[in-house]
Amino acid sequence: AGRIHLVDQNHLESGDFEVVYSVRERNGDWNPAEKISPPARSGRNASRVLDHGVNAFAFWMDVTDAASDSDIGFRRRASNGSWGEPEILFPASGISEDPVAAVDAFDRLHLVWVDGRFGNLQKILYAQAGTDRIWSAPQVLSTGAIFPDSPNIDVDGFGNVHIVWSDRSLSNPDISEDIIHLKIDPEAADPLQPVRLVSHTGSASDPFLEVLADGTLHLVWLDDRDASRDTFREIYYKRFLPGIGWGKDKRFTYDRTDHQRPMIIKGTRSTLNVVWEDYRSGNPEIYYRQITWATGWDRDLTRLTADNSASRSPSLVAVSNGGLVLFWADAQGTGSSRIFTKIGNEGTTP
């Protein structure tokens, strides 16, 4: 297995949050967690990305006033483990949150987030940094949107950036949410126009995108088209093939109960692996399903956690030789939660 970089948040007794970073070495040992958010500040909703030189870049919601003001916190970690100073990116009044980033084949950094500097109408903003790590000015991607939310980002092997998010339906904004996709060529003057991929009477939300080097896109999201409004959300899937286009929406779960936080990743042996929160047992548990080119989707789902507490926020990492490492947060009897991990491989699941 390779080295794994984990970024997370601690909920302190004061009510504030701090962002912590830890690294699992190749031998499986974890280094002590390091606090990377500034002292006397609250940091939440952290994410991280690595460049090809194994330099790490951490982003988080840096909270000044939880009700009205936050910015995007940023800190870089050199490959030797030394940290630069914490920075605030693109400061402005209003709430900036949910930062996620990707590194393309040319080592450029791409960042997308939800931004409230425009008043009541939040927008999806995007910025990039070249190999000099100097950031461009923020650019609004969600032009004409009503209430865009939950952005996700990935890149293909040609340097193109693919971004998805959810937004209220233009035709029925009080009831329906759609999934939006936008492709950006960093060399072009302007991005292409956003495309509404999923649109129906109902809620489609929380998209997660996995992009392959050849430009194939795999998308999962939450969808309530099979339920009365707000009673439960199933997981749906669709795929984009270069030269062909987007396929149909495919229902991924069928148990008529609620699901949360789906994510999909490609394994090193060309499998696709999906994890999510599942409420069929009453409390949230982590479930898993895989697709291979030879056999298609697993016929049966695999339950990865089984206890009476709440297992939430799954994150799956593919490592060398077909390894898979699962992380999740599990509630403890004291009212707190801890991060747990489970190791498996693409042949036997985590």
Side-chain angles (χ1 to χ4, degrees), residues 197 215-217 238-248:
L197 286 184
T216 299
L217 279 61
K238 73 186 306 175
R239 178 179 64 171
F240 174 89
L241 294 176
I244 297 176
W246 286 98
K248 296 180 179 180

Side-chain angles (χ1 to χ4, degrees), residues 5 17 19 50 54 58 78 169 174 177 189 199 205 221 293 299-300 311 318 340 350:
H5 295 247
F17 291 81
V19 179
L50 304 177
V54 202
S169 169
D174 294 332
E177 287 181 276
S199 184
S205 63
W221 72 94
W293 300 120
R299 180 180 178 89
D300 298 316
S311 301
F340 286 80

